């Protein structure tokens, strides 16, 4: 029989009745609601995003990620990757919070613990990080063939998140002396 609530009972045999016994039923820890806030790095130019009840993430490198979990029958929750384990902060009776900057792709688990039932539940998710690439600059100088006094520079610049400004800083050197 699958018990859903506490059960009081006694045993009877050969005219003898035992004392009262009780089987106590404890709830298994579970997530009732999970909200994740993704605060992207400023240079991306993206607005903060909020996800509900989804733990698998694809985020740009450096995204500040905040989990807010409402749970049932959980004493504590731990965020665990292959390299570390971090406890969530318990902010209210059944509410837990964790904020972490995400820099590496990794599977992760949320471990929900209930000390009364000596039980914990693992829920598996993954984080995929989109690495920020370095800007690429290609320059092609072209000398003035008539007077040799001018240099034209053509080129291309690219970056995975765009760029807002390019500065050319130069100095003129003659006979080893900067002019």
């Amino acid at each position: 029989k699958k018990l859903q609530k506490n059960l009081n009972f006694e045993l009877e045999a050969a005219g003898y009745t035992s004392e009262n016994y009780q089987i106590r039923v404890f709830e298994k820890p579970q997530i009732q609601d999970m909200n994740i806030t993704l605060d992207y790095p400023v240079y991306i130019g993206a607005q903060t995003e909020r996800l509900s009840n989804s733990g698998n993430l694809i985020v740009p490198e450096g995204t500040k990620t905040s989990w807010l979990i409402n749970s049932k029958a959980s004493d504590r929750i731990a965020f665990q990757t292959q390299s570390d384990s971090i406890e969530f902060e318990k902010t209210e009776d059944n509410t837990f919070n964790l904020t972490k900057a995400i820099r590496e792709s990794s599977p992760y688990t949320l471990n929900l613990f209930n000390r009364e039932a000596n039980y914990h539940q693992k829920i598996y998710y993954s984080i995929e990080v989109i690495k920020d690439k370095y800007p690429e600059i290609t320059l092609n100088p072209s000398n003035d063939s008539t007077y040799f006094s001018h240099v034209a520079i053509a080129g291309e610049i690219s970056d995975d998140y765009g760029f807002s400004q390019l500065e050319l800083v130069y100095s003129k050197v003659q006979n080893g002396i900067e002019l």
Side-chain angles (χ1 to χ4, degrees):
K1 183 175 180 179
K2 294 182 180 182
L3 294 177
Q4 300 297 317
K5 59 183 181 178
N6 293 345
L7 174 69
N8 293 316
F9 67 96
E10 16 180 76
L11 302 172
E12 291 182 17
Y16 175 77
T17 302
S18 73
E19 61 184 86
N20 282 326
Y21 293 98
Q22 181 183 55
I23 297 176
R24 292 181 56 200
V25 176
F26 297 101
E27 290 186 81
K28 144 175 131 171
Q30 55 187 300
I31 291 176
Q32 300 219 283
D33 187 39
M34 179 167 66
N35 294 296
I36 301 174
T37 302
L38 304 173
D39 189 11
Y40 299 114
V42 174
Y43 63 86
I44 291 174
Q47 297 291 321
T48 297
E49 186 176 355
R50 288 176 177 70
L51 306 173
S52 291
N53 298 317
S54 175
N56 294 318
L57 304 172
I58 300 173
V59 296
E61 182 177 16
T63 299
K64 184 175 152 188
T65 307
S66 298
W67 287 263
L68 181 64
I69 296 177
N70 292 316
S71 68
K72 182 177 183 184
S74 297
D75 297 320
R76 62 187 180 94
I77 300 176
F79 175 94
Q80 185 172 0
T81 64
Q82 296 168 336
S83 60
D84 67 352
S85 181
I86 304 168
E87 291 281 327
F88 276 71
E89 178 185 355
K90 191 170 190 176
T91 55
E92 293 178 25
D93 192 32
N94 293 311
T95 304
F96 297 83
N97 186 39
L98 174 72
T99 299
K100 177 176 176 54
I102 305 297
R103 305 212 180 279
E104 298 291 331
S105 295
S106 176
Y108 75 96
T109 59
L110 295 178
N111 298 314
L112 286 67
F113 296 90
N114 180 321
R115 76 175 153 264
E116 290 209 13
N118 193 22
Y119 179 86
H120 78 274
Q121 179 178 5
K122 289 186 177 188
I123 304 170
Y124 297 89
Y125 297 107
S126 68
I127 298 172
E128 183 180 334
V129 171
I130 302 166
K131 291 289 190 182
D132 184 17
K133 297 177 185 169
Y134 289 104
E136 292 183 15
I137 301 173
T138 306
L139 298 176
N140 298 312
S142 174
N143 291 329
D144 178 357
S145 61
T146 307
Y147 298 106
F148 299 104
S149 62
H150 295 86
V151 175
I153 299 176
E156 293 182 16
I157 183 170
S158 64
D159 187 60
D160 49 351
Y161 293 107
F163 62 96
S164 60
Q165 184 177 351
L166 172 64
E167 290 184 26
L168 176 62
V169 179
Y170 71 95
S171 58
K172 189 173 179 181
V173 177
Q174 188 175 23
N175 297 328
I177 300 172
E178 190 173 323
L179 303 175

